[in-house]
Amino acid sequence: MRLTSLRLHLIEMPLRSPFTTSFATTTVRSCYLVEARTRTTDGREVTGWGECVAMEAPLYSPEHLSGAVEVTRRWLAPALLAVEDLTAETVAWHLRHVVGHPMAKAALEMAVLDAQLRARDVSFADYLGAVRTSVPSGVSVGIQPSGEETVRVVGEFLDQGYARIKLKIQPGSDLGPVRAVREAFGDDLPFQVDANAAYTLADVGLLRRLDEFDLLLIEQPLGEADLRQHAELARQVRTPICLDESIVSAEVAADAIALGATSVINVKPGRVGGYLEARRIHDLARANGIPVWCGGMLETGVGRAANAALAALPGFVLPGDISGSDRFYTEDVTEPIVMRDGAVDVPTGPGFGVEVLPERLERFSTGTVDLPA
Ligand code: NPQ
Ligand code: MG
C-alpha cells in the first residue's frame, strides 16, 4: 500500500475523577489519534487509525505529546510518505534511523496496521493469532487521601465486577492502604501494586514488608534504568517484581529476564514502539516462562480495542489494565469498550474493530496537523 496522507487529531478528554500516581495527578487525558489515508495496490482508498499514548509531560517516560507531534511532522511522517510499497511489518524498519520516540512510532505503525487489516478484511485478533474471545479486566486505582477512602474506591470497582485490583503506591502511601484493602476484601482478592519508580534500594526494608500481603506482584518499584538493582531487590523480597517503564524493547526485556530483574512483564505497545514489538516481547517471555499482562495508558477506545486483541494471545495469563472506557471517561471517541463480569470482549471486526465517531472527535478536538503539510 501507499500512505497518501496523515492527519493527527489532537484531543483532550476529561477524566471522570482525578487519577493520582507517584509522578502526577491527571484530570484530563491529552493525546492524539493518527488518521492514515492509504491507497492499496489495486487502487482502493482505505483509512486506518492509531493512537499516541505519550503524556502531556515527560513524567512517565522521556516522550511527551508536543514532542511526539514534532518528531512525527519533521522525521517520521516524511520517511513513511516516501515509501512506494509500505506494509505495517516494515514501518519500524523504515523509521529505524530515528532514535527513540517509541510512542510516536507506535501510533504510526498502528494506523498503517489498521488500514492494512481493513483492506484485507481481517481482524487484529485473527492477525495476531488470538486464542480468546474475551479477556479478564483489571483496574488501576489511584492514590487516595486515606486508607478508608482507598477501601471505598476499591469496593466500588469490585462491585462493578473488576477481576483484579492494582493500587498505586508511593512513599507514605503504601503499607497503610495496602493493609486496609487486604483486611477489607480478604486474602483471595487478586491484588497488586504499582510504584511507578518511586522507591530506591534504600527502601528494601519497607518493600520487604509488603511481602506479608501476598500481592500478585509489585510493579516498577525502582527507576526505569535500574535493571541490576531490580535483580538485587528480587533476591531480597518474596513479592514478584513486574517491570513496566523499564521494558522499552524486546532486547531490554531479554536483558531483564536474564538478569532476574523481572519475573512478570507489563506489556504496553506504545512504550515499546508498537504492537509488533509487543508481540515479540510476548513470544520472548513465553519462551522463558515469564507471564505477561497488558498494561494501560488511559487509551481511548481505539487503543483499548487493540489492547484487548493483544491480551488474547496465549502468554497474557494475568488480567490487564484493560478496563471499560467508563473507568476514565464519561464519553469515548468510539462506541464504549464495555467491561462486563470482569471481562472485555475481543473485537471481531476488520482492523481494530472500532469506528472513530466524527462528532465525538469534533467535541474533544483541540486541533489537527495534516502531513504532508
Ligand atoms: C502504569 N497506567 O501502569 C500507567 C501509569 C499512568 C493505568 O496505571 C495519562 C496517560 C495519565 C497515561 C497516568 C496505569 C497516566 C498515564 C498513569 C499512565 O504505570
Ligand atoms: Mg505501571
Side-chain angles (χ1 to χ4, degrees), residues 37-326:
R37 299 194 188 100
T38 73
R39 186 178 314 107
T40 62
T41 42
D42 59 3
R44 285 173 296 138
E45 306 281 330
V46 181
T47 295
W49 290 85
E51 176 169 352
C52 181
V53 298
M55 294 177 62
E56 182 92 33
L59 304 175
Y60 166 84
S61 79
E63 279 182 280
H64 59 96
L65 198 53
S66 56
V69 170
E70 185 62 3
V71 77
T72 299
R73 188 180 66 76
R74 292 188 60 181
W75 291 287
L76 304 180
L80 296 183
L81 289 162
V83 178
E84 194 49 48
D85 186 14
L86 184 66
T87 65
E89 294 77 12
T90 59
V91 165
W93 188 78
H94 287 294
L95 301 178
R96 70 196 184 287
H97 60 294
V98 176
V99 179
H101 303 280
M103 294 175 178
K105 290 174 177 177
L108 293 168
E109 184 191 83
M110 251 183 106
V112 171
L113 181 55
D114 188 37
Q116 180 173 302
L117 294 172
R118 285 171 186 272
R120 297 174 183 172
D121 195 23
V122 172
S123 73
F124 187 38
D126 290 348
Y127 169 84
L128 284 173
V131 295
R132 302 182 186 93
T133 57
S134 71
V135 293
S137 180
V139 65
S140 181
V141 180
I143 292 165
Q144 306 297 325
S146 68
E148 295 71 34
E149 183 59 10
T150 305
V151 168
R152 189 190 66 73
V153 171
V154 167
E156 276 183 359
F157 287 123
L158 292 176
D159 292 346
Q160 292 175 35
Y162 277 103
R164 177 273 280 148
I165 295 294
K166 161 172 146 173
L167 179 64
K168 296 290 186 179
I169 60 172
Q170 66 183 1
S173 179
D174 40 32
L175 292 173
V178 168
R179 179 177 290 106
V181 169
R182 203 32 117 195
E183 287 173 356
F185 301 105
D187 296 344
D188 301 338
L189 171 71
F191 184 26
Q192 62 194 60
V193 297
D194 185 356
N196 289 105
Y199 298 89
T200 72
L201 267 185
D203 301 308
V204 65
L206 178 134
L207 294 172
R208 190 182 294 120
R209 291 181 58 196
L210 287 171
D211 285 349
E212 72 184 84
F213 301 107
D214 292 323
L215 299 169
L216 287 171
L217 57 91
I218 177 167
E219 188 178 333
Q220 199 70 41
L222 311 178
E224 292 86 331
D226 302 342
L227 292 187
R228 185 191 57 72
Q229 296 189 47
H230 276 106
E232 179 56 33
L233 179 65
R235 285 189 286 275
Q236 307 213 21
V237 303
R238 208 162 27 81
T239 305
I241 304 289
C242 171
L243 292 182
D244 171 355
E245 287 89 329
S246 293
I247 307 296
V248 295
S249 68
E251 287 79 9
V252 173
D255 292 352
I257 293 168
L259 284 166
T262 193
S263 54
V264 187
I265 293 178
N266 168 329
V267 176
K268 289 178 180 171
R271 190 192 67 219
V272 300
Y275 283 85
L276 303 183
E277 183 76 354
R279 182 174 55 186
R280 280 187 281 274
I281 293 171
H282 161 270
D283 299 348
L284 167 82
R286 197 155 178 252
N288 286 276
I290 298 284
V292 302
W293 54 282
C294 185
M297 290 291 285
L298 282 60
E299 289 90 346
T300 74
V302 176
R304 209 164 284 274
N307 285 351
L310 180 71
L313 285 174
F316 284 83
V317 294
L318 292 169
D321 283 342
I322 307 173
S323 315
S325 295
D326 63 2

